[in-house]
Amino acid sequence: MSYVNRVIKNVQTRYQDQPEFVQAVSEVLNSLHLVIEQNPDYERAGLLERLVEPERTLMFRVPWVDDGGQVQVNRGYRVQFNSAIGPYKGGLRFHPSVNLGVIKFLGFEQILKNSLTGLAIGGGKGGSDFDPHGKSDREIMTFCQSFMTELFKYIGQDTDVPAGDIGVGAREIGFLYGQYKRLTGLNEGVLTGKGLSYGGSLARAEATGYGLVYLTNELLKNHGSSLAGKTVVVSGAGNVATHAIEKCHELGAKVVTASDSSGWIHDPNGINLATVRRIKKTDRGRISKYLEFHPKANYTEGRGIWSVKCDIAMPCATQNELNAADAEALVKGGCLAVCEGANMPSTPEAINIFLKKGILFAPGKAANAGGVATSALEMSQNSMRQSWTFDEIDARLKIIMADIYRDISQAAKDFGEPDNLVLGANVASFRKVAEAMLAQGVI
């Protein structure tokens, strides 16, 4: 049995209760057989075994008191996965679906995503099974303060710098940062996604969605096309999805869908972004309310968004939202490219269909790296006590995403599969991490 297969089998056996983590590890390592075979030093150094095992895994209880005076207890996590390139960097997710396997999958992907940015950041992830939906500001503040009371012991601007993710926006980051300051007495760049009044960066909110569109356009340009005039299907209605819709419209494409966990909207005339933002950000309502403002649009409960005919598909909601049947529907609908705005939103079966059918496919670890790249730019600004303009950051983001596309495309070409950007992203990101790990010895 090959070295790669032995490591995958060991992960499958040891972590069979963590399917998302096993899926992420298997997908990455299965694409690295040739790289590993060409470098026997990796096996001698136990590099893969170290790569798939977090440097530190933290689990802790988070007690808090709700508005009714009742004590509630949630579980908190921080997985500090790999610091070979730099301090741990990755978001905090507050959502009922959060468990250790989900956090480990996200942290493992974060190692490789951060590597692709070319910046000095390692990989980590954290969060809680706490659900912010429907909670008052006071309840959210109380929870965040309790969460940080445990987490602060393990983070710092040169150690581990969390950010936001699903369920953790500017409000939550503010409460978390305030408690960190109270406990440590430090004003430092320990969190990213902060408000502009206390060390945040312009363009951070836009970065993941914008970066996704920049890489998508780069992919299309290198295949003799562009986003202009294209019909795009986007899933989600949160931060990534709305900014992807915004940038697609700016570049001349027409986005015709948006969704949430209840269902999805199809507006053939193009999604009205102002309406979506009003519903989701201001009113915190369901996407079905879109029909109250645009009655000619269609709303469908549950799944089915990928049945809409399109040129480009951008899954921007959550992991494994796009399966084999969805992939076949996109192929049938004439889709040219699928670019991932969420983390691992396409199942392995769906990805295999895309590659087999010749659909251009940009995996999330490359396509949605703009968010963490801009977080790293926020870290730089904090260290220098400077604030760059929106245009300066946006220009840097465009360069970073173009560089990511160049690197993953070249890595794919090196192995004779120029359109296999899954292979290219895994190889390009792994090489950098592996070199750093080998250079630093067995730690």
Side-chain angles (χ1 to χ4, degrees):
M1 185 182 293
S2 72
Y3 177 40
V4 168
N5 287 338
R6 287 202 313 274
V7 174
I8 292 174
K9 184 177 180 181
N10 184 53
V11 169
Q12 291 171 337
T13 301
R14 180 176 291 185
Y15 300 115
Q16 53 189 297
D17 62 331
Q18 300 173 9
E20 296 89 356
F21 175 59
V22 171
Q23 178 185 336
V25 168
S26 300
E27 184 267 312
V28 171
L29 296 194
N30 270 321
S31 67
L32 296 175
H33 281 277
L34 285 176
V35 180
I36 303 301
E37 289 170 7
Q38 293 173 0
N39 294 273
D41 285 348
Y42 294 161
E43 183 173 3
R44 284 194 289 268
L47 192 139
L48 293 185
E49 292 90 340
R50 290 190 283 140
L51 182 68
V52 301
E53 196 66 36
E55 293 174 10
R56 186 176 295 106
T57 300
L58 308 168
M59 289 193 297
F60 49 94
R61 71 183 183 193
V62 188
W64 57 283
V65 181
D66 66 22
D67 286 344
Q70 180 64 45
V71 174
Q72 304 288 343
V73 179
N74 288 94
R75 180 172 288 178
Y77 303 90
R78 187 67 181 174
V79 174
Q80 296 175 330
F81 223 117
N82 190 291
S83 60
I85 294 176
Y88 309 107
K89 187 83 191 79
L92 298 171
R93 175 175 294 192
F94 292 170
H95 192 272
S97 66
V98 166
N99 57 46
L100 182 58
V102 168
I103 295 300
K104 285 178 64 178
F105 127 63
L106 293 167
F108 181 74
E109 286 281 300
Q110 200 76 48
I111 302 168
L112 304 173
K113 182 191 301 185
N114 293 358
S115 171
L116 286 175
T117 68
L119 303 170
I121 42 177
K125 204 73 178 184
S128 173
D129 56 2
F130 172 77
D131 187 1
H133 186 73
K135 303 292 193 302
S136 70
D137 286 349
R138 192 209 67 83
E139 288 175 319
I140 299 233
M141 180 181 71
T142 300
F143 173 83
C144 288
Q145 289 173 342
S146 182
F147 184 89
M148 183 54 76
T149 297
E150 182 63 25
L151 184 64
F152 90 97
K153 308 167 190 175
Y154 308 101
I155 63 177
Q157 66 175 354
D158 296 316
T159 306
D160 184 352
V161 184
D165 194 78
I166 294 173
V168 180
R171 173 182 57 176
E172 290 76 16
I173 291 292
F175 293 148
L176 291 165
Y177 188 69
Q179 184 70 353
Y180 181 85
K181 281 176 54 187
R182 171 192 285 179
L183 294 167
T184 65
L186 297 174
N187 250 311
E188 62 179 18
V190 69
L191 287 163
T192 56
K194 299 185 294 298
L196 295 177
S197 61
Y198 60 100
S201 174
L202 290 165
R204 176 58 190 92
E206 295 84 355
T208 307
Y210 281 17
L212 166 65
V213 177
Y214 292 149
L215 188 136
T216 300
N217 209 37
E218 200 71 24
L219 169 66
L220 294 174
K221 282 197 309 183
N222 279 269
H223 287 81
S225 186
S226 73
L227 271 166
K230 299 293 190 297
T231 298
V232 183
V233 167
V234 171
S235 66
N239 186 57
V240 178
T242 54
H243 287 108
I245 293 170
E246 176 187 336
K247 187 55 66 173
C248 280
H249 286 170
E250 284 184 19
L251 296 181
K254 180 169 73 171
V255 180
V256 295
T257 62
S259 70
D260 61 16
S261 58
S262 62
W264 52 280
I265 288 291
H266 176 215
D267 189 340
N269 295 319
I271 288 293
N272 186 298
L273 191 54
T275 301
V276 173
R277 284 176 167 156
R278 173 179 173 177
I279 294 168
K280 302 306 290 185
K281 284 194 170 185
T282 306
D283 299 340
R284 298 184 183 273
R286 290 297 184 182
I287 197 68
S288 55
K289 287 189 65 177
Y290 188 92
L291 296 185
E292 296 178 13
F293 303 93
H294 307 280
K296 292 185 179 180
N298 300 300
Y299 172 72
T300 304
E301 287 193 359
R303 297 179 52 83
I305 192 170
W306 308 113
S307 63
V308 177
K309 289 186 178 182
C310 64
D311 301 305
I312 313 294
M314 294 181 177
C316 296
T318 190
Q319 67 263 20
N320 292 326
E321 61 171 291
L322 199 164
N323 60 29
D326 298 323
E328 293 287 5
L330 285 170
V331 171
K332 185 178 179 181
C335 183
L336 304 173
V338 177
C339 299
E340 296 185 323
N343 292 304
M344 205 171 72
S346 306
T347 65
E349 296 78 13
I351 295 171
N352 287 336
I353 290 169
F354 296 144
L355 296 179
K356 183 178 178 180
K357 298 292 186 178
I359 290 180
L360 301 174
F361 178 74
K365 65 173 60 70
N368 72 21
V372 73
T374 306
S375 283
L377 298 180
E378 181 177 332
M379 292 166 62
S380 297
Q381 293 171 82
N382 291 165
S383 296
M384 295 185 290
R385 299 292 193 266
Q386 291 182 352
S387 293
W388 300 332
T389 68
F390 187 100
D391 289 342
E392 285 176 316
I393 297 165
D394 193 39
R396 290 170 188 256
L397 176 62
K398 287 179 183 177
I399 293 170
I400 289 170
M401 300 312 295
D403 287 346
I404 289 174
Y405 177 78
R406 179 202 63 210
D407 291 345
I408 66 176
S409 178
Q410 186 58 54
K413 290 175 183 176
D414 291 344
F415 283 84
E417 299 185 45
D419 287 330
N420 188 346
L421 297 184
V422 175
L423 171 66
N426 289 337
V427 169
S429 59
F430 171 78
R431 279 173 170 165
K432 182 178 178 182
V433 176
E435 288 172 8
M437 291 177 69
L438 286 176
Q440 294 168 33
V442 180
I443 57 173

